[in-house]
């Protein structure tokens, strides 16, 4: 891509200089563009005489790319649920594109990866090496980027997990392609392009982003926004040789932090809202959670009140969860909260206001004060243990 000025058209109005958000335009006789230019196009748009042109060339012939590749994330050689969720979505997209669904997985030798085929991977690329049992950003990025260059998929999906969020930008920059992080919705438009939708500006708008000029179209996808569904295939399993030798990064020590605040894979969540009234109210929720083997979540109102930390927030600008049981305590049921938990299997709501919107989606509603209902519930549960 390059930016050019047509001096015969330029009337020296200097609008381009003012419009540039990157201080990339300087003026001597005519505008000149310096190395800060990121080719955002703002000056091209504002120029009244159409004197500026940006030539956009695709890095690759996009028509050559084919197939949807999914990064199958593992932990200690166990394939994580997010991989099945992504494969489910990849299969949905592949029906519209008529392209193959593939998976890439990095594991220790002799790990069985055939479960990926149960969720619709018809080609599975396996890199087997003892070193891959633990995540190593440098090794994973190198090995996967090289594979993507070789097989040239049109779409590449990665989970928006801690690892995925770190790995995806490393790969996209190596491949010189775009990346949309933290998508909540994916679809294919009428031109066969991947529509990558994610909340933007703190969740105030949903932005749909395209990658028209480079391949693969890369996206990380939030956990639990897709319901995993089996779609068995007869897979071709291809064992690849790892070409990673230059081990710049070595894991010296691994410290595992407490997982108590990670609510995304919790089977039972006890969540508190503004109706808990105070920070200490969450001690009661912790007690209930301990009794049930649950984790504690919260509404944004509770997080913004400083009662709990942001990683516990459920909703549009927090986490999306899909537990077996979700107990909403003193949460009104605003649409932004519901969008993060409505796919829970069974929803119990405790609210003092019988007209609270949360009751519309609850399977079981208890109208009452949390400070009366919760202690009784805890003692009842404890008496049964
Ligand atoms: C762009 C954007 C993004 C957002 N993202 C999120 C998000 O990710 N997650 C999120 O949660 N919100 C989000 N919000 C905020 C959302 O709109 C609501 O403001 C928020 O969910 C309200 O939280 P709440 O239900 O705890 O509080 P409230 O709406 O104030 O509800 C408190 C409830 O507690 C009940 N109550 C009060 N006292 C008691 C009692 N003693 N016992 C029982 N019940 C009681 C009340 O009847 C009431 O229903 C977002 C908003 C915007 C604009
Ligand atoms: S394309 Fe964008 S960054 Fe480049 S000179 Fe124009 S306004 Fe500035
Ligand atoms: S906005 Fe267009 S016409 Fe005005 S100075 Fe810049 S290039 Fe020239």
């Amino acid at each position: 891509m390059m930016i050019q000025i047509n001096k015969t058209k330029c009337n020296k109005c200097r609008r381009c200089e003012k419009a540039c958000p990157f201080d990339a335009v300087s003026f001597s006789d005519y505008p000149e563009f310096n190395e800060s230019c990121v080719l955002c196009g703002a000056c091209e748009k504002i120029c009244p005489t159409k004197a500026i042109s940006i030539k956009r060339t695709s890095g690759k012939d996009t028509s050559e790319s084919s197939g949807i590749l999914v990064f199958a994330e593992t932990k200690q050689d166990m394939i994580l649920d997010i991989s099945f969720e992504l494969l489910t979505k990849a299969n949905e997209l592949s029906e519209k594109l008529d392209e193959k669904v593939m998976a890439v997985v990095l594991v220790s030798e002799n790990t069985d990866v055939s479960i990926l085929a149960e969720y619709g991977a018809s080609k599975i690329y396996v890199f087997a090496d003892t070193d891959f049992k633990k995540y190593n950003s440098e090794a994973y990025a190198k090995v996967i980027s090289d594979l993507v260059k070789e097989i040239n998929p049109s779409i590449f999906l990665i989970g928006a997990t801690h690892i995925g969020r770190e790995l995806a930008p490393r790969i996209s920059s190596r491949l010189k392609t775009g990346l949309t992080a933290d998508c909540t919705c994916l679809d294919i438009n009428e031109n066969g392009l991947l529509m990558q939708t994610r909340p933007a500006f703190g969740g105030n708008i949903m932005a749909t982003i395209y990658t028209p000029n480079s391949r693969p179209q890369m996206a990380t996808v939030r956990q639990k926004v897709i319901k995993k569904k089996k779609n068995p295939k007869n897979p071709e399993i291809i064992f690849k040789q790892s070409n990673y030798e230059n081990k710049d990064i070595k894991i010296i020590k691994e410290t595992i932090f407490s997982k108590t605040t990670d609510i995304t894979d919790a089977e039972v969540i006890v969540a508190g809202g503004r109706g808990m009234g105070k920070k200490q109210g969450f001690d009661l929720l912790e007690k209930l959670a301990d009794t049930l083997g649950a984790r504690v979540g919260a509404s944004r109102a509770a997080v913004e009140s400083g009662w709990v930390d942001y990683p516990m927030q459920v909703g549009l600008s927090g986490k999306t969860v899909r537990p077996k049981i979700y107990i909403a305590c003193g949460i009104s049921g605003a649409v932004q909260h519901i969008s993060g938990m409505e796919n829970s299997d069974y929803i119990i709501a405790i609210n003092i206001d019988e007209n609270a919107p949360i009751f519309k989606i609850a399977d079981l509603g208890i109208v009452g004060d949390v400070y009366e209902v919760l202690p009784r519930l805890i003692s009842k549960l404890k008496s049964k243990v």
Side-chain angles (χ1 to χ4, degrees):
M1 288 207 269
M2 55 189 293
I3 186 162
Q4 279 177 331
I5 174 99
N6 182 336
K7 290 183 182 169
T8 54
K9 284 188 178 175
C10 177
N11 65 12
K12 304 185 185 180
C13 71
R14 300 184 82 144
R15 285 191 200 174
C16 50
E17 190 183 20
K18 285 186 200 129
C20 177
F22 298 95
D23 280 337
V25 187
S26 55
F27 236 85
S28 50
D29 207 8
Y30 289 96
E32 282 168 11
F33 307 100
N34 64 38
E35 68 285 350
S36 303
C37 173
V38 297
L39 301 166
C40 71
C43 57
E44 185 188 31
K45 233 182 210 167
I46 209 154
C47 174
T49 61
K50 302 211 179 323
I52 298 173
S53 59
I54 297 177
K55 242 197 187 146
R56 293 183 171 84
T57 49
S58 102
K60 253 186 199 172
D61 178 0
T62 56
S63 64
E64 285 175 7
S65 325
S66 176
I68 304 173
L69 181 67
V70 164
F71 168 59
E73 188 175 331
T74 56
K75 190 166 202 183
Q76 301 290 328
D77 288 338
M78 291 283 294
I79 296 170
L80 302 183
D81 256 6
I82 180 68
S83 315
F84 308 135
E85 294 166 16
L86 293 179
L87 283 169
T88 304
K89 176 51 80 176
N91 270 278
E92 226 180 278
L93 301 175
S94 78
E95 277 171 26
K96 297 187 179 172
L97 290 171
D98 195 22
E99 291 184 12
K100 261 200 177 115
V101 173
M102 306 172 283
V104 53
V105 61
L106 283 74
V107 280
S108 311
E109 289 93 350
N110 305 322
T111 306
D112 182 11
V113 297
S114 57
I115 190 166
L116 292 168
E118 284 181 36
Y119 287 89
S122 52
K123 238 182 193 182
I124 305 171
Y125 293 94
V126 185
F127 289 90
D129 188 318
T130 325
D131 279 356
F132 294 148
K133 191 166 181 177
K134 282 185 183 158
Y135 174 67
N136 173 334
S137 50
E138 191 60 31
Y140 272 50
K142 163 101 178 81
V143 165
I144 297 172
S145 307
D146 286 350
L147 176 76
V148 173
K149 282 180 197 158
E150 182 192 325
I151 64 174
N152 196 10
S154 64
I155 293 173
F156 184 22
L157 305 179
I158 296 179
T161 58
H162 292 302
I163 284 180
R165 283 168 204 234
E166 203 239 10
L167 178 65
R170 287 174 182 269
I171 296 176
S172 70
S173 68
R174 281 167 191 254
L175 299 173
K176 297 195 175 12
T177 188
L179 167 70
T180 306
D182 218 17
C183 292
T184 53
C185 180
L186 296 174
D187 206 345
I188 301 293
N189 80 354
E190 62 285 358
N191 300 320
L193 284 175
L194 182 67
M195 299 163 73
Q196 306 153 54
T197 304
R198 54 152 299 157
F201 297 107
N204 284 305
I205 57 164
M206 297 303 282
T208 297
I209 295 160
Y210 295 92
T211 312
N213 296 320
S214 50
R215 291 293 178 271
Q217 302 160 85
M218 275 187 72
T220 62
V221 182
R222 267 200 206 181
Q223 297 175 85
K224 306 287 176 188
V225 295
I226 302 157
K227 191 167 189 181
K228 65 176 181 180
K229 200 167 107 197
K230 287 198 173 173
N231 183 2
K233 294 271 164 66
N234 219 346
E236 183 186 352
I237 300 184
I238 301 159
F239 287 92
K240 301 287 289 181
Q241 210 54 34
S242 149
N243 52 4
Y244 180 71
E245 275 173 15
N246 182 15
K247 299 182 179 178
D248 292 334
I249 296 179
K250 283 202 178 102
I251 298 170
I252 300 163
K253 186 180 161 200
E254 196 177 29
T255 308
I256 298 176
F257 289 93
S258 152
K259 273 198 72 191
T260 47
T261 54
D262 185 4
I263 51 172
T264 41
D265 59 355
E267 300 229 313
V268 182
I269 294 175
V270 177
R274 204 193 318 262
M276 295 310 297
K278 53 190 178 224
K279 190 177 168 67
Q280 291 72 16
F282 276 76
D283 296 343
L284 202 54
L285 299 183
E286 289 286 355
K287 267 192 198 153
L288 177 60
D290 280 349
T291 322
L292 292 169
R295 298 208 186 121
V296 176
S299 72
R300 177 153 138 178
V303 172
E304 284 180 346
S305 302
W307 301 339
V308 287
D309 295 330
Y310 171 71
M312 294 161 78
Q313 183 179 316
V314 174
L316 185 65
S317 49
K319 299 248 166 73
T320 303
V321 294
R322 201 188 273 266
K324 291 202 167 110
I325 303 175
Y326 188 90
I327 308 177
C329 307
I331 292 177
S332 60
V335 62
Q336 295 89 352
H337 184 81
I338 285 176
S339 70
M341 47 65 79
E342 64 191 334
N343 290 320
S344 307
D345 289 348
Y346 197 83
I347 298 169
I348 301 172
I350 306 169
N351 198 301
I352 207 160
D353 173 9
E354 63 178 358
N355 296 315
I358 191 82
F359 288 132
K360 289 198 184 124
I361 59 150
D363 297 287
L364 174 69
I366 302 171
V367 179
D369 186 329
V370 281
Y371 289 99
E372 284 172 17
V373 178
L374 288 175
R376 283 168 65 188
L377 186 59
I378 294 166
S379 81
K380 199 97 186 154
L381 285 165
K382 279 197 169 152
S383 69
K384 300 221 161 179
V385 177

